[in-house]
Amino acid sequence: MENEKGDIVDLYIPRKCSATNRLIQAQDHAAVQISIANVSEDGRATGENQVYALSGFVRAIGESDSSVNRLAQRDGYLKSVWSASK
């Protein structure tokens, strides 16, 4: 919710899991949020980052590593790491 100035005034803004698009509930204490920094050609951080949120469900079934690899390859951070065939 926003006030008249356009500031966000909600006490809690829910997140969605980047891997499953499930809503991450406030009680999900196993959920994590990972920020990967964008870097320039000479290896310096640009100040921008890509955020991935993983729910406790994904972490509990042991799919967080492959999910981060898949998401990072989709966004261009990794090359030829994840494939759909197992």
Side-chain angles (χ1 to χ4, degrees):
M1 185 167 71
E2 294 182 2
N3 61 8
E4 294 82 22
K5 296 178 186 176
D7 299 330
I8 297 176
V9 294
D10 288 334
L11 294 177
Y12 174 71
I13 299 173
R15 297 176 293 164
K16 287 181 81 175
C17 178
S18 300
T20 62
N21 285 333
R22 288 182 174 199
L23 193 64
I24 298 175
Q25 299 178 356
Q27 296 86 9
D28 190 355
H29 298 294
V32 294
Q33 183 169 321
I34 301 171
S35 297
I36 299 177
N38 292 337
V39 294
S40 63
E41 291 294 325
D42 48 329
R44 295 185 181 260
T46 62
E48 300 175 356
N49 58 13
Q50 178 68 37
V51 178
Y52 300 116
L54 297 174
S55 65
F57 171 75
V58 173
R59 296 185 68 211
I61 62 173
E63 290 294 321
S64 57
D65 184 46
S66 63
S67 296
V68 170
N69 284 342
R70 177 177 52 86
L71 293 167
Q73 184 172 341
R74 179 194 70 188
D75 293 337
Y77 292 107
L78 296 174
K79 294 182 181 175
S80 303
V81 173
W82 186 86
S83 63
S85 62
K86 284 191 172 186

